Amino acid sequence: MARQGDITLNFIAAVILVALIAPFVLVGRAVGLWRRGSRWAAGLLISAAGSILVYAAGLLFVGSADFAKSCGHEAVRPPRNADWFEEGSFPLTATCHWDGGRTYSLVPAFVNPLIYACIAFTLLCAVMAIREHHRNGHTS
């Protein structure tokens, strides 16, 4: 039976692999769309590639963290281990919690807002690309 840590590492490795390949494919396709005049469709692909890259970078922060060490004696004051840990994939969460109410997040503060901004821009580009497609008389 696989351990939770192995499953998490496999997930992180798969996302990083996709994050290395997908942006090249998406940006390459976007360049072709841009040249044909489909600016919003190209923006959609580029912002989707950005979303993937930002999420993968955030996973690198979380995946490289050793909770015991990061939330233990070396990382925080007062020098005592965290009482419990919280992990999540979306939004990216890796937080040490103490019973007194103190917390320490291992995910940089800019990661989740940047992911949300990329997703919002991707959705905007998708809506505008569909609108542009229908304005140009394409109904199929």
Side-chain angles (χ1 to χ4, degrees):
M1 179 172 223
R3 293 186 336 229
Q4 178 66 29
D6 292 338
I7 293 170
T8 302
L9 288 177
N10 288 338
F11 174 75
I12 291 170
V15 169
I16 291 171
L17 180 63
V18 167
L20 291 174
I21 296 169
F24 290 108
V25 172
L26 293 173
V27 171
R29 181 82 173 120
V31 169
L33 288 170
W34 187 274
R35 287 183 181 155
R36 288 195 314 245
S38 298
R39 305 289 193 250
W40 287 110
L44 180 138
L45 294 178
I46 292 170
S47 62
S51 299
I52 292 168
L53 286 173
V54 171
Y55 188 80
L59 275 179
L60 284 175
F61 283 108
V62 174
S64 64
D66 178 8
F67 281 118
K69 186 175 182 180
S70 297
C71 296
H73 300 292
E74 298 86 3
V76 293
R77 304 282 184 256
R80 84 180 248 260
N81 291 332
D83 295 313
W84 58 285
F85 307 111
E86 177 186 12
E87 280 185 278
S89 297
F90 193 81
L92 283 175
T93 307
T95 307
C96 308
H97 294 272
W98 287 265
D99 288 338
R102 269 194 53 228
T103 61
Y104 178 74
S105 179
L106 301 172
V107 178
F110 68 88
V111 170
N112 285 318
L114 192 53
I115 290 171
Y116 291 137
C118 287
I119 291 171
F121 189 70
T122 301
L123 292 174
L124 170 70
C125 288
V127 168
M128 295 306 289
I130 291 169
R131 184 175 171 218
E132 179 181 68
H133 182 75
H134 286 290
R135 273 198 174 164
N136 292 337
H138 303 287
T139 57
S140 57

